[in-house]
């Protein structure tokens, strides 16, 4: 049996940081050896998620955390991710980043770190969402545009943007198969005297309420039949387990920038736009 991958969690006290810790504690492929949290040093990582202590405490210095690990998983903020990527490159540590909102300079900095170490980045770490995108690509390219496409996404009441990045990614897949940019085809919600539905349009609708983690439904409605594809995330563990799957794969790769496209060996088209927020 191969030794467990030594894992460091950065942004450990954040919503996703805690989801990663909880998932990693139950995953024999990993041993959590270090964690970084700016919320305060000295707290046992397992107690952060309500488990018995494992003797690994959070630190507020980044370099020792990186030095201790084979792989780092981080969900933080772009400027900090870039600093972390540089450190990983310096210390030969693989990095899985799920942070979103990188600008092009920050994206270039990640790319440059990936010249020295394997780096994995995905704006949506859910394996299910990425397979939904791939499935939609397959379906849409064969259906043709006789089918009216409507995307409906639902999220918790705290979400501050609409539509979700994933809904836009789904729309982009549909628009691509129609040979036009999504902006030229999207109808965001409908109200008033809209007139008849024009062919080829892509309806996008956002539902907000309660604590829904994330639902995406694509309805492809023809004259005589309807095809539906969808995905529901029940909890943040959907993203955390995807990040762990990426880390287990990444530590065996050569330096380079990888995403879900490579991890899942998806054919055709690009994976999700790498600068967009998830959900
Ligand atoms: P959060 O606010 O709950 O946690 C962020 C953590 O990062 C906090 O612990 C915070 O202290 C830490 N952090 C932020 N800036 C820092 C800095 N300068 N130095 C040190 N620590 C810093 O947020 P979250 O919901 O966990 O999301 C974090 C990121 O992950 C966001 O960009 C979000 O969009 C993204 N996200 C991605 C996916 C995905 O599947 N790729 C899923 C969920 C969230």
């Amino acid at each position: 049996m191969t030794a467990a991958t030594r894992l460091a969690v950065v942004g450990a006290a954040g919503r996703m940081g805690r989801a990663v810790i909880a998932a990693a504690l139950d995953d024999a492929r990993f041993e959590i050896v270090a964690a970084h949290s700016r919320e305060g040093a000295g707290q046992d990582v397992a107690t952060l998620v309500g488990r018995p202590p494992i003797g690994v405490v959070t630190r507020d210095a980044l370099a020792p955390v990186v030095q201790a690990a084979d792989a780092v998983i981080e969900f933080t903020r772009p400027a900090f991710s870039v600093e972390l990527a540089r450190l990983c490159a310096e210390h030969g540590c693989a990095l899985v980043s799920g942070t979103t909102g990188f600008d092009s300079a920050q994206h270039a900095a990640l790319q440059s770190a990936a010249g020295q170490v394997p780096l994995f980045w995905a704006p949506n770490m859910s394996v299910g969402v990425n397979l939904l995108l791939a499935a939609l690509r397959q379906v849409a390219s064969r259906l043709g545009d006789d089918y009216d496409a409507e995307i409906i996404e639902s999220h918790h009441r705290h979400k501050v943007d609409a539509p979700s990045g994933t809904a836009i990614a789904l729309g982009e897949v549909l628009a691509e198969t129609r040979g036009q940019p999504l902006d030229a085809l999207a109808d965001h919600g409908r109200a008033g005297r809209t007139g008849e539905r024009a062919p080829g349009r892509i309806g996008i609708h956002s539902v907000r309420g309660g604590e829904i983690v994330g639902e995406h439904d694509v309805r492809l409605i023809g004259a005589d039949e309807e095809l539906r594809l969808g995905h529901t995330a029940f909890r943040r563990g959907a993203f955390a387990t995807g990040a762990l799957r990426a880390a287990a794969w990444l530590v065996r790769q050569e330096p380079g920038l990888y995403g879900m496209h490579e991890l899942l060996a998806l054919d055709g088209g690009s994976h999700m736009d790498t600068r967009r927020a998830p959900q």
Side-chain angles (χ1 to χ4, degrees):
M1 207 182 119
T2 50
T5 296
R6 294 175 301 163
L7 180 69
V9 182
V10 170
R15 279 172 293 219
M16 277 308 304
R18 279 178 281 135
V20 170
I21 290 167
L25 286 172
D26 295 332
D27 190 330
R29 293 174 300 176
F30 297 97
E31 180 192 358
I32 302 178
V33 293
H36 180 272
S37 169
R38 70 168 177 183
E39 276 86 357
Q43 185 169 3
D44 193 280
V45 289
T47 62
L48 268 178
V49 297
R51 307 277 190 92
I54 58 167
V56 176
V57 294
T58 55
R59 309 178 71 148
D60 52 14
L62 203 48
V65 168
V66 170
Q67 278 163 357
D70 304 314
V72 172
I73 297 182
E74 72 97 17
F75 289 81
T76 59
R77 294 289 180 270
F80 187 61
S81 310
V82 165
E83 188 185 331
L84 173 61
R86 287 198 183 110
L87 263 181
C88 286
E90 199 179 312
H91 295 290
C93 182
L95 174 63
V96 174
S97 171
T99 299
T100 60
F102 292 89
D103 63 25
S104 49
Q106 290 165 330
H107 192 63
L110 286 193
Q111 188 91 54
S112 147
Q116 281 146 285
V117 285
L119 202 155
F120 185 97
W121 185 43
N124 192 317
M125 289 281 180
S126 152
V127 169
V129 158
N130 285 279
L131 291 177
L132 170 65
L133 283 158
L136 181 62
R137 188 181 303 283
Q138 294 272 320
V139 165
S141 62
R142 287 162 176 82
L143 263 188
D145 53 12
D146 285 350
Y147 288 72
D148 297 326
E150 299 282 312
I151 299 168
I152 303 114
E153 56 100 346
S154 307
H155 283 90
H156 49 84
R157 60 165 70 111
H158 315 290
K159 187 164 175 60
V160 293
D161 57 318
S164 69
T166 300
I168 294 172
L170 290 163
E172 281 171 348
V173 168
L174 289 166
E176 207 179 295
T177 60
R178 288 159 196 221
Q180 288 198 59
L182 179 60
D183 284 350
L185 296 178
D187 286 332
H188 292 280
R190 292 191 187 87
R193 292 188 60 77
T194 58
E196 282 194 14
R197 193 188 198 288
R201 305 294 299 175
I202 299 170
I204 305 184
H205 314 277
S206 298
V207 177
R208 293 289 176 267
E211 299 298 333
I212 299 171
V213 172
E215 293 177 13
H216 293 89
D217 289 298
V218 183
R219 299 181 61 174
L220 299 160
I221 311 164
D224 302 311
E225 63 174 2
E226 176 180 342
L227 182 60
R228 292 186 184 188
L229 291 107
H231 176 268
T232 302
F234 300 137
R235 53 186 74 88
R236 289 187 175 80
F239 310 118
T241 51
L244 288 175
R245 180 165 167 175
W249 174 84
L250 191 67
V251 291
R252 301 193 306 269
Q253 307 307 314
E254 295 296 317
L257 183 58
Y258 302 97
M260 281 291 174
H261 199 68
E262 290 78 21
L263 176 66
L264 302 176
L266 301 174
D267 292 329
S270 56
H271 52 84
M272 279 182 79
D273 180 335
T274 39
R275 263 157 289 175
R276 177 164 297 126
Q279 295 184 36

